[in-house]
Amino acid sequence: MDNGIKRMVDDRFDDFVRELVELVRRPSVSATGEGVEECADYLVAKMERWGIDAEIEQVPDGEPVIIGRVGPEGKCPTLLVYDHYDVQPPEPLDEWEYEPFSGEISGERMYGRGTTDSKGNLMAYLSAVRLLSETGKMPLSVKFLFEGEEEIGSPHLRSFVSSTDSLDADAVVCCDSELDPSGRPMISLGMKGLIYLELRSRAAKTDMHSSKAALVPSAAWNLVDALRSLRDSEGNIQIEGWTDGLVEPTEEEIELLRKIPFDEEEIRKETGARELLRGRHGLEALRGFLYEPTCNIAGLTSGYQGEGSKTVLPAEASAKLDMRLVYDQSAERCIQLLRDHLAVKGFGELEITVHGRLEPSHTPLSAPISRAAADAAREVYETDAVIYPKHHASGPDYIFTKDLGMHSIWTGCSPADGRAHAPNEFIGLEEYRKGILYACELISRFAGESSQ
Amino acid sequence: MDNGIKRMVDDRFDDFVRELVELVRRPSVSATGEGVEECADYLVAKMERWGIDAEIEQVPDGEPVIIGRVGPEGKCPTLLVYDHYDVQPPEPLDEWEYEPFSGEISGERMYGRGTTDSKGNLMAYLSAVRLLSETGKMPLSVKFLFEGEEEIGSPHLRSFVSSTDSLDADAVVCCDSELDPSGRPMISLGMKGLIYLELRSRAAKTDMHSSKAALVPSAAWNLVDALRSLRDSEGNIQIEGWTDGLVEPTEEEIELLRKIPFDEEEIRKETGARELLRGRHGLEALRGFLYEPTCNIAGLTSGYQGEGSKTVLPAEASAKLDMRLVYDQSAERCIQLLRDHLAVKGFGELEITVHGRLEPSHTPLSAPISRAAADAAREVYETDAVIYPKHHASGPDYIFTKDLGMHSIWTGCSPADGRAHAPNEFIGLEEYRKGILYACELISRFAGESSQ
């Protein structure tokens, strides 16, 4: 990589660390609202001072969104960088060894809420564009989209993005991400979708003496029968049309899977599971993990749940379902398929509440942003990135890939064990330094890929 | 009936009422222990004064049992009368219009905890044997078994009964019962059995992020699959051997069923059920209610049960099952069949906890005690009794029919709407008076039937 940039990162690193400390010292707890607006104002003022054209966008009933822009105007590639400036609540406070909003440095780590999730990532990119701009090496236009509600589920992100045309770009880097547990950089090329539903069966006005189980229908059995109709005993989803259009991973994707460190013994140890799903091993298990739609029972409630016995026929029973979607499954269509299935199978009276929906997303390995990130990671970390053709979890990535039609990747510099959401959250200083280099290199490489 | 007895009941009724009030004024709350021993001492002293040979039997870790005996010694029939002197807690106190332990008389009703369940029944029999003894008309030997733990599930009744030979008798009347809602007397000739179980599925050490649902097995699905294997979609129990030996009701029993008032419209209104189980009507529904084994889900618990959504893969899931047994099904055998079923179907790792077991019981209509009760009821109430060849609920009746090998019936004089277990419990004075007559007549008729 550019040795000039490398030297400058080293020369300026104390400043970059100090600036991250200052940001960490500004609480921005979206769950409670504590300090969120102040933090946004602070950050916009800083960005302006650092030569970034930045402004606050107010979101009705939401926390402010920060939009930034830097780099040459006119006909050049544009990269959108997404991250969030809000943080999780610091509780439980008595489990912190350091003040949660101190940014205290101890050993080679900076401690504090938000250091790893995700103010370190955010500042790595801001530091990178400053360096590139100041040295006249900024090869493209960078836009920033920093939201203040990620930790409460990004309730306004989609509507905000759809309401503005200021986010037009050629690709997105979502830097709210972390390194692989092996310490290697990690790049995710897509996420699963998700529908979260509640099914409620009502059979009577009130709970009854269970002798009535021989006389009137049971809400609990109705629910169990309905649930059971969704899956066969192997675990395959039995909803008509559900798996339409699901394809096999490509050879290229299988190749990526082979390179992902996957220690099934460790997973069994960590989870306590006696074996992996369907008795799978290795590549087969990993492929199921990342590529299969799921129908998970997240909760079950009915009747008497206390100690011992109570002979009751419950009036109601309910289940929370989270169903992960893959490839081109559409949340809306899947919800309709589920409704149709339940109606056809005789469970039409079940009440269905949709608590949330996220679409699946995908960006190919051949996309310029994917290649740029992989090359930049190899250059900076001196090792191949772990590339997930799909991430196992779900997120707002589809807003970029489906709504805006861009390529999008998730990659960041936070440590895998940085205690995000937990006490004593931290980022290693070396991880932060590498993150700045990685951001510089990724921007430069993306400019190169885009101009080819 | 004997007009002399009838007159004497009228003459002495004020005394009998006063004596019931005095008993009601003595709290005997087995759930808390409040006053139970004092009430037992009081009752034994009274029984002795009334010419009944009575004593307290201490039960290790339990409340005292009262045993009584009255009537001619030597070669004559013996009738055992079972009831309980303990009561439910009076709470919620602020919903009582009368002091719960006052026995206050208002209009033609006596109010107080235990009036209807079951001190009124108990005193009706004590009053009856006093009258019969004092007038030299006691035709047989009567034994009393009054326990002090019925309201907490009779935990020591079976072991107590099996430990003594002082309960030998020709038949049992369990007078802890009530009138039919139509006001007609009700006689039950048997009860369903019951096993109460908890099934617990454990799949992991802790709840996990639900993205892992594509990687490790789910405790909740394992439970749902196990439950669903117990029943087909029609609701028929699918456990191998479960229905072995179950026979059809006899013609005589069907005749009894035809005479039971059964208002399905009222049941639908009361329960809110849109239709009865399996879309049944009339006799078919009633027959299912009284004669079919059930597999009821009394409770379901797993994962997240709060508001909204949480994407969790639960580490555990559990279900409470109450399964009613009929005819000669044995609780012990059924528990084993269930264990075998789960093992064979691949659910051998489910943890099974047995919380309770009651055997089914049956006494034929042709038994002397059944005929005596039916005739006595017709005589006193001037209408046919509603005779249940089986009662829909479960109870300790099998201790008498199976353990002691006697015929046993359940019949009492309490009002169907007497608010047992609820505030403002009461017994009508006329119901109490008829109850004394009914007890006298039943004892006399049983002596007649037994000597034939």
Side-chain angles (χ1 to χ4, degrees), chain A residues 291-405:
Chain A
Y291 278 87
E292 275 178 3
T294 62
C295 176
N296 175 53
I297 299 174
L300 280 177
T301 307
S302 188
Y304 182 66
Q305 303 183 47
E307 287 296 302
S309 61
K310 184 180 176 189
T311 48
V312 66
L313 173 62
E316 286 190 19
S318 65
K320 310 243 188 200
L321 288 184
D322 81 68
M323 305 178 79
R324 303 271 171 181
L325 309 180
V326 294
Y327 294 100
D328 290 327
Q329 286 184 313
S330 130
E332 206 52 47
R333 177 168 179 268
C334 284
I335 290 168
Q336 191 55 50
L337 290 175
L338 178 74
R339 286 188 195 280
D340 294 347
H341 168 92
L342 291 173
V344 166
K345 296 290 182 186
F347 303 108
E349 284 174 353
L350 256 66
E351 188 183 299
I352 304 172
T353 308
V354 179
H355 286 304
R357 61 190 92 191
L358 296 167
E359 305 288 342
S361 66
H362 184 62
T363 288
L365 180 62
S366 59
I369 187 65
S370 311
R371 291 203 308 267
D375 291 346
R378 192 180 304 109
E379 177 72 22
V380 172
Y381 292 91
E382 294 172 350
T383 175
D384 277 340
V386 179
I387 301 178
Y388 280 84
K390 296 251 182 277
H391 194 265
H392 58 85
S394 307
D397 196 36
Y398 70 96
I399 297 175
F400 307 119
T401 62
K402 288 204 170 164
D403 293 355
L404 298 188

Side-chain angles (χ1 to χ4, degrees), chain A residues 192 194 196 198 202-206 208-218 220-221 223-225 227-228 230-231 233 262 267 269-277 280 285 288-289 292 294-314 320 322 324 349 355 392-393, chain B residues 192 194 196 198 202-206 208-218 220-221 223-225 227-228 230-231 233 262 267 269-277 280 285 288-289 292 294-314 320 322 324 349 355 392-393:
Chain A
K192 287 190 178 181
L194 173 73
Y196 198 102
E198 189 157 345
R202 290 180 214 266
K205 281 191 293 197
T206 58
M208 285 171 276
H209 190 281
S210 74
S211 67
K212 290 249 175 28
L215 189 62
V216 294
S218 152
W221 273 117
L223 180 73
V224 167
D225 288 348
L227 288 173
R228 192 56 179 69
L230 301 178
R231 280 191 5 155
S233 59
F262 182 71
I267 291 165
K269 210 184 296 172
E270 184 193 319
T271 62
R274 284 173 291 268
E275 60 174 7
L276 299 190
L277 195 67
R280 285 172 175 158
F289 184 34
E292 275 178 3
T294 62
C295 176
N296 175 53
I297 299 174
L300 280 177
T301 307
S302 188
Y304 182 66
Q305 303 183 47
E307 287 296 302
S309 61
K310 184 180 176 189
T311 48
V312 66
L313 173 62
K320 310 243 188 200
D322 81 68
R324 303 271 171 181
E349 284 174 353
H355 286 304
H392 58 85
Chain B
K192 288 188 176 180
L194 174 73
Y196 198 104
E198 190 158 343
R202 292 180 211 266
K205 279 191 294 196
T206 58
M208 285 172 278
H209 191 281
S210 72
S211 66
K212 290 249 175 31
L215 189 61
V216 294
S218 152
W221 273 116
L223 180 74
V224 166
D225 288 348
L227 288 173
R228 192 55 180 70
L230 301 177
R231 280 194 1 158
S233 59
F262 182 71
I267 291 165
K269 211 184 296 172
E270 186 193 318
T271 61
R274 284 174 291 268
E275 60 173 9
L276 300 190
L277 196 66
R280 284 172 175 161
F289 184 32
E292 276 177 5
T294 62
C295 176
N296 175 54
I297 299 175
L300 280 176
T301 307
S302 188
Y304 181 65
Q305 302 183 47
E307 287 296 302
S309 61
K310 184 179 175 191
T311 46
V312 65
L313 172 63
K320 309 243 187 200
D322 81 68
R324 303 272 170 178
E349 284 175 354
H355 287 303
H392 58 85

